[in-house]
């Protein structure tokens, strides 16, 4: 599908990477990994032809289709979610317009014997065949299925995209890509704005994807579950192995160990030969032997060991002072945004040294509660912080508040106090901002660099409670590992909002699940929560056809009512199936007539009452479609 040979990308005379060569085959699901700034996103942009390389070649198969999920998107205002998602089907939408136009002319024109009318019949047949080939009869259902998989509710479909946050709009863009049936998918951090349930759905979707995938991700579990090949960019070179991430690390470590051993053996052999050369070259009788040994050494290809970029953050979170036993106490908390209730009647008690994860679908109130705790937004109810509590807060969009025109050093110095201003440069060095990097302006920093700077800035303030909202977004795997270790060593109270399952594993001991304006406590880690949540979801699915009863309703009455519901649902589904069969039969008949018209128009059209019968069949299809929609709505009411 794609051959990349000797690819090089340079910025201002410095190679970001050089001489990269690899082949992309159908079925490859490549995890593209490397540190922040290694060139991962740049390589995706080169593969998508968004930017040109500095050297090398790329050879694509004929008519290969490429889909690229960029980090920056720009929607046309005024479209609903469904309308925007339907943009994935440009050709289908164009054919729909042409079919509507042709059908309108066929219904209004009376020049049945003319060549123009005959040509309309020909065009209708051609467009219908092309429409069916492109999946025109299925695209609306496919769109709704993928939007729901990515977390949208049916009631969201007719809302304008303008009313949704950047994270939700990114999901719409992702849905469009997944619907396009591209041959190659290029995904740049697709999980950054997804909740855990949507990530699991996306994993299952990508595992069965027929084409090739190249994805940049810092989510180790996502990489392990989706990819079958790993390419690492490190120090301008690539390391390519047909293994998912964790297996890649083990294999690369084994290969490097063998390289080191081979290099040692070679150095030992070279040293021995050099000693013989030094010994023999002084003797005339042995000079020819010395010359022979020297030629052998000249032909030796030195064994090189893969170089690793071992630079890593050095993070330590220290508590400012010992707080009281109660950290947060809340009663009857509620929060609404306009007509949308996010949290309702929430009671909460968080004690000192708790390690808590906030999880749940986007829009369920995780970040909202975090903002309420730090006094960033108003709310209804009572919330009180305990004695001596000092909160350090890392917001989900913390890095967006960095002043773009200021340098890294200036941002830190502005936030520093008299007691820690002298330590600013050392702190920046610990977060990999050494040398000239401190003079970079915020606007040129990568997403990972901005997050590192925001974390470094957080350490300038005293705290004994740490609230972190999606702290791992854009951080590379090495930085995430360092951050997790630092948080595990933090002796204060920790509250983490995150969708990263691997990051949460072993980090927290309690999970708060957010759903339907309420919070449920799970006394266990993220794996325990997912296990319990799966069981609860299965129980909910079993209850879908059971209408809620009053508490005093007997089990027998509830059972009978459920049976009545099942009977009605079965009846509706049977009717739905019958309508679909009738529509399919009529469309087959109409298609057959269209084909006969195209082959022998004069003979077919001369039959008695031909056009009346033809129009009646089309009208019947329209009537059945309307009935199908009504029955489908009734069926949907049961789910």
């Amino acid at each position: 599908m794609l051959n990349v040979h000797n690819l090089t990308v340079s910025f201002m005379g410095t190679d970001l990477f050089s001489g990269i060569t690899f082949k992309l085959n159908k079925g490859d699901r490549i995890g593209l990994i490397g540190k922040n700034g290694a060139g991962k996103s740049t390589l995706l942009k080169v593969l998508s032809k968004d930017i040109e390389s500095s050297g090398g070649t790329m050879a694509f198969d004929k008519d290969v289709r490429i889909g690229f999920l960029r980090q920056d998107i720009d929607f046309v205002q005024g479209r609903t979610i469904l309308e925007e998602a339907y943009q994935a089907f440009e050709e289908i939408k164009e054919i729909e317009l042409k079919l509507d136009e042709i059908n309108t002319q066929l219904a209004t024109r009376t020049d049945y014997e003319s060549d123009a009318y005959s040509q309309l019949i020909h065009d209708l047949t051609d467009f219908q065949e092309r429409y069916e080939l492109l999946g025109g009869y299925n695209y609306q259902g496919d769109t709704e299925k993928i939007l729901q998989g990515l977390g949208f509710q049916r009631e969201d479909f007719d809302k304008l995209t303008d009313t949704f946050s950047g994270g939700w709009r990114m999901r719409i863009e992702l849905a469009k890509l997944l619907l396009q049936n591209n041959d190659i998918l290029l995904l740049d951090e697709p999980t950054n704005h997804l909740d855990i349930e949507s990530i699991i759905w996306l994993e299952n979707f990508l595992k069965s994807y027929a084409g090739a995938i190249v994805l940049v991700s810092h989510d180790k579990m996502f990489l392990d579950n989706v990819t079958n090949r790993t390419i690492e960019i490190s120090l301008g070179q690539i390391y390519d192995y047909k293994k998912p991430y964790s297996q890649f690390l083990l294999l690369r470590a084994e290969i490097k160990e063998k390289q080191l051993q081979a290099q040692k053996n070679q150095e030992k052999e070279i040293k021995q030969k050099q000693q013989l050369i030094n010994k023999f070259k002084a003797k005339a009788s042995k000079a020819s032997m010395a010359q022979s040994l020297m030629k052998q050494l000249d032909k030796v290809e030195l064994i090189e060991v893969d170089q690793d970029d071992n630079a890593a953050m050095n993070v330590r979170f220290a508590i400012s002072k010992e707080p009281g036993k109660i950290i947060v106490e809340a009663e009857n908390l509620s929060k609404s945004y306009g007509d949308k209730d996010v949290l309702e009647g929430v009671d909460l008690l968080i004690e000192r040294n708790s390690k808590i994860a906030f999880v749940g679908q986007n829009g369920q109130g995780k970040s909202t509660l975090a903002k309420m705790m730090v006094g960033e937004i108003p709310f209804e109810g009572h919330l009180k912080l305990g004695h001596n509590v000092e909160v350090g807060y890392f917001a989900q969009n913390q890095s967006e508040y960095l002043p773009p025109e200021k340098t890294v050093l200036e941002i830190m110095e502005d936030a520093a106090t008299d007691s820690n201003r002298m330590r600013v440069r050392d702190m920046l060095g610990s977060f990999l901002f050494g040398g000239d990097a401190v003079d970079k302006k915020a606007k040129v920093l990568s997403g990972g660099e901005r997050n590192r700077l925001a974390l470094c800035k957080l350490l300038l303030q005293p705290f004994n409670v740490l609230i972190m909202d999606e702290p791992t977004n854009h951080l590379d795997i090495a930085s995430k590992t360092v951050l997790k270790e630092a948080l595990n060593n933090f002796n204060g109270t920790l509250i983490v909002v995150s969708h990263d399952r691997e990051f949460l594993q072993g980090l927290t001991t309690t999970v708060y699940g957010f759903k339907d304006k309420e919070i449920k406590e799970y006394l266990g880690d993220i794996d325990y929560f997912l296990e319990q949540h799966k069981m609860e979801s299965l129980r909910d699915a079993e209850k879908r056809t059971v209408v809620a009863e009053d508490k005093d309703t007997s089990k027998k009455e509830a059972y009978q009512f459920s049976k009545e519901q099942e009977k009605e649902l079965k009846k509706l589904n049977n009717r739905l199936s019958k309508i679909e069969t009738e529509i399919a039969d009529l469309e087959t008949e109409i298609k057959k007539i269209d084909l006969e018209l195209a082959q022998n128009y004069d003979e077919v059209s001369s039959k008695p009452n031909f056009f009346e019968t033809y129009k009646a069949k089309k009208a019947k299809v329209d009537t059945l479609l309307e009935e199908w929609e009504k029955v489908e709505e009734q069926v949907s009411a049961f789910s």
Side-chain angles (χ1 to χ4, degrees):
M1 300 181 82
L2 168 62
N3 275 306
V4 175
H5 181 69
N6 209 28
L7 195 69
T8 299
V9 172
S10 303
F11 289 111
M12 300 180 68
T14 302
D15 288 345
L16 185 60
F17 47 77
S18 61
I20 287 179
T21 297
F22 65 91
K23 188 176 181 180
L24 184 61
N25 301 306
K26 187 175 182 179
D28 281 345
R29 296 193 299 274
I30 296 175
L32 188 60
I33 64 170
K35 291 199 168 184
N36 294 128
K40 303 181 299 294
S41 295
T42 300
L43 180 55
L44 289 188
K45 290 175 183 176
V46 172
L47 297 179
S48 67
K49 303 178 184 177
D50 275 15
I51 62 175
E52 292 184 3
S53 64
S54 306
T57 59
M58 295 191 302
F60 293 89
D61 285 354
K62 187 180 179 183
D63 298 328
V64 69
R65 294 167 299 173
I66 301 174
F68 182 23
L69 179 68
R70 300 168 177 82
Q71 288 298 311
D72 50 335
I73 54 174
D74 188 21
F75 286 165
V76 174
Q77 290 191 342
R79 287 178 182 159
T80 66
I81 287 179
L82 267 183
E83 287 170 342
E84 184 61 46
Y86 287 159
Q87 299 306 306
F89 306 100
E90 290 182 25
E91 188 176 354
I92 286 177
K93 300 301 288 183
E94 288 174 5
I95 292 176
E96 281 184 342
L97 292 174
K98 290 173 181 175
L99 286 172
D100 286 343
E101 184 182 335
I102 291 172
N103 282 318
T104 300
Q105 290 193 53
L106 288 175
T108 56
R109 292 176 62 157
T110 57
D111 56 333
Y112 306 134
E113 309 295 331
S114 69
D115 291 341
Y117 197 92
S118 178
Q119 185 59 47
L120 283 175
I121 299 293
H122 277 287
D123 293 344
L124 180 68
T125 303
D126 291 342
F127 282 128
Q128 282 179 334
E129 288 178 355
R130 181 63 179 165
Y131 188 74
E132 185 174 358
L133 183 67
L134 292 171
Y137 298 108
N138 303 317
Y139 80 93
Q140 293 178 333
D142 291 343
T143 301
E144 293 185 11
K145 192 184 300 180
I146 283 182
L147 285 172
Q148 287 179 307
L150 289 171
F152 289 98
Q153 304 297 320
R154 281 187 176 274
E155 54 265 30
D156 296 329
F157 290 171
D158 293 325
K159 294 177 182 176
L160 296 177
T161 59
D162 316 5
T163 63
F164 286 81
S165 67
W168 282 100
R169 294 172 76 182
M170 185 65 76
R171 292 184 188 216
I172 301 170
E173 190 68 13
L174 179 56
K176 285 160 62 177
L177 276 185
L178 299 183
L179 287 162
Q180 284 172 351
N181 292 322
N182 291 294
D183 301 300
I184 299 174
L185 264 186
L186 307 175
L187 305 177
D188 195 354
E189 299 195 40
T191 65
N192 262 2
H193 300 285
L194 300 184
D195 52 54
I196 291 175
E197 291 182 14
S198 297
I199 290 173
I200 293 172
W201 178 90
L202 180 60
E203 283 177 359
N204 292 326
F205 184 96
L206 293 179
K207 280 190 284 190
S208 60
Y209 194 77
I213 300 170
V214 182
L215 68 91
V216 173
S217 179
H218 301 134
D219 185 329
K220 290 193 275 188
M221 190 172 288
F222 184 74
L223 287 169
D224 278 340
N225 289 341
V226 171
T227 63
N228 55 19
R229 181 177 165 192
T230 301
I231 294 180
E232 180 184 19
I233 303 178
S234 178
L235 300 174
Q237 302 299 314
I238 67 167
Y239 301 92
D240 184 357
Y241 297 100
K242 291 185 177 180
K243 298 286 183 184
Y245 178 74
S246 294
Q247 293 179 38
F248 158 80
L249 289 182
L250 293 173
L251 184 60
R252 180 141 186 237
E254 289 175 10
I255 290 172
K256 187 176 178 183
E257 184 62 35
K258 289 178 181 177
Q259 288 176 338
L260 283 168
Q261 189 58 51
Q263 188 183 58
K264 285 180 182 178
N265 292 337
Q266 186 184 60
E267 287 173 351
K268 184 179 178 181
E269 186 179 339
I270 289 173
K271 185 178 180 181
Q272 289 174 344
K273 287 186 177 180
Q274 190 62 56
Q275 287 174 344
L276 287 173
I277 290 169
N278 294 338
K279 182 179 178 182
F280 293 154
K281 68 180 181 181
K283 299 178 180 179
S285 61
K286 302 289 187 180
S288 60
M289 186 176 292
Q291 288 292 327
S292 177
L293 288 170
M294 289 172 67
K295 288 179 181 178
Q296 289 178 26
L297 282 184
D298 289 339
K299 293 178 181 179
V300 170
E301 291 187 13
L302 296 178
I303 295 172
E304 294 183 359
V305 177
D306 295 342
Q307 296 299 306
D308 292 327
D309 186 354
N310 292 315
M313 291 194 304
N314 181 16
V315 188
R316 180 174 173 268
F317 296 111
I319 63 170
S320 53
K321 62 178 75 168
E322 187 73 11
K325 184 180 179 182
I326 304 300
I327 299 297
V328 178
E329 188 175 7
E331 292 180 3
N332 200 30
L333 280 184
S334 296
K335 177 62 184 175
S336 301
Y337 293 101
D339 296 332
K340 182 176 174 60
D341 296 328
V342 180
L343 295 171
E344 191 174 285
V346 171
D347 296 330
L348 200 65
L349 182 68
I350 297 176
E351 296 187 350
R352 182 179 58 220
N353 296 335
S354 298
K355 308 294 182 186
I356 298 169
F358 285 1
V359 301
Q361 289 185 332
N362 291 113
Q364 294 292 331
K366 306 184 299 296
S367 297
T368 295
L369 181 57
K371 291 174 183 176
M372 290 159 64
M373 287 180 177
V374 297
E376 192 172 295
I377 56 174
F379 54 87
E380 294 179 1
H382 172 75
L383 188 149
K384 179 185 176 183
L385 297 182
H387 177 64
N388 275 346
V389 167
E390 294 180 331
V391 179
Y393 175 52
F394 184 90
Q396 182 175 162
N397 56 347
Q398 183 81 43
S399 63
E400 294 176 14
Y401 292 109
L402 301 174
E405 293 299 330
K406 288 199 172 185
T407 66
V408 169
L409 183 59
E410 288 170 343
I411 290 169
M412 285 291 288
E413 287 179 336
D414 288 348
T417 62
D418 291 339
S419 62
N420 57 30
R421 185 166 284 107
M422 296 296 291
R423 295 175 43 235
V424 162
R425 283 186 178 270
D426 290 338
M427 291 173 68
L428 284 171
S430 296
F431 281 80
L432 305 181
F433 292 105
D436 295 339
V438 299
D439 296 321
K440 282 184 177 180
K441 289 188 176 182
K443 65 181 181 182
V444 302
L445 299 177
S446 69
E449 288 173 325
R450 293 169 69 85
N451 256 29
R452 289 208 310 269
L453 178 57
L455 281 169
C456 188
K457 184 181 171 187
L458 174 65
L459 295 181
L460 291 170
Q461 67 180 86
F463 54 80
N464 47 33
V465 176
L466 198 49
I467 300 177
M468 310 197 81
D469 192 354
E470 303 290 6
T472 63
N473 276 357
H474 302 293
L475 285 183
D476 58 51
I477 293 173
S479 297
K480 279 169 53 176
T481 302
V482 171
L483 175 61
K484 182 174 179 177
E485 185 178 350
L487 291 176
N488 269 321
N489 293 328
F490 177 54
N491 292 322
T493 303
L494 176 65
I495 299 171
V496 183
V497 182
S498 180
H499 61 261
D500 191 323
R501 292 157 292 169
E502 191 277 335
F503 184 75
L504 290 175
Q505 283 176 334
L507 181 62
T508 61
T509 55
T510 304
V511 174
Y512 285 171
F514 287 65
K515 187 176 182 182
D516 298 331
K517 298 176 258 187
E518 297 179 349
I519 300 174
K520 184 174 180 180
E521 185 179 35
Y522 295 81
L523 298 176
D525 63 5
I526 187 64
D527 291 330
Y528 174 78
F529 163 78
L530 289 173
E531 182 183 334
Q532 295 298 309
H533 190 59
K534 185 177 181 181
M535 291 173 63
E536 290 168 5
S537 298
L538 287 172
R539 286 196 291 271
D540 288 343
E542 290 169 0
K543 297 174 185 175
R544 279 190 308 177
T545 58
V546 182
V547 175
E549 299 289 334
D550 292 334
K551 289 183 180 180
D552 58 350
T553 302
S554 70
K555 290 182 180 178
K556 184 178 179 181
E557 288 173 338
Y559 174 78
Q560 289 174 340
F561 190 64
S562 173
K563 294 292 285 185
E564 288 299 316
Q565 289 281 322
E566 289 176 4
K567 186 177 178 181
E568 178 63 21
L569 182 59
K570 186 176 180 180
K571 183 179 176 182
L572 288 170
N573 278 323
N574 287 339
R575 180 60 190 145
L576 204 61
S577 179
K578 188 177 179 182
I579 294 171
E580 288 170 351
T581 302
E582 287 185 64
I583 291 172
D585 289 344
L586 279 168
E587 286 182 337
T588 301
E589 289 177 27
I590 292 169
K591 193 172 180 181
K592 185 178 179 182
I593 294 169
D594 289 338
L595 189 60
E596 289 175 352
L597 278 171
Q599 291 173 344
N600 196 344
Y601 178 82
D602 293 336
E603 183 180 335
V604 175
S605 61
S606 62
K607 294 178 181 178
N609 302 321
F610 168 77
F611 284 104
E612 289 79 359
T613 305
Y614 183 68
K615 287 181 181 179
K617 288 182 185 292
K618 286 197 160 190
K620 179 65 174 175
V621 170
D622 292 337
T623 303
L624 286 170
L625 284 170
E626 289 177 7
E627 186 180 354
W628 183 90
E629 288 179 1
K630 291 176 183 177
V631 178
E632 173 64 21
E633 286 179 7
Q634 291 175 282
V635 171
S636 298
F638 282 84
S639 59

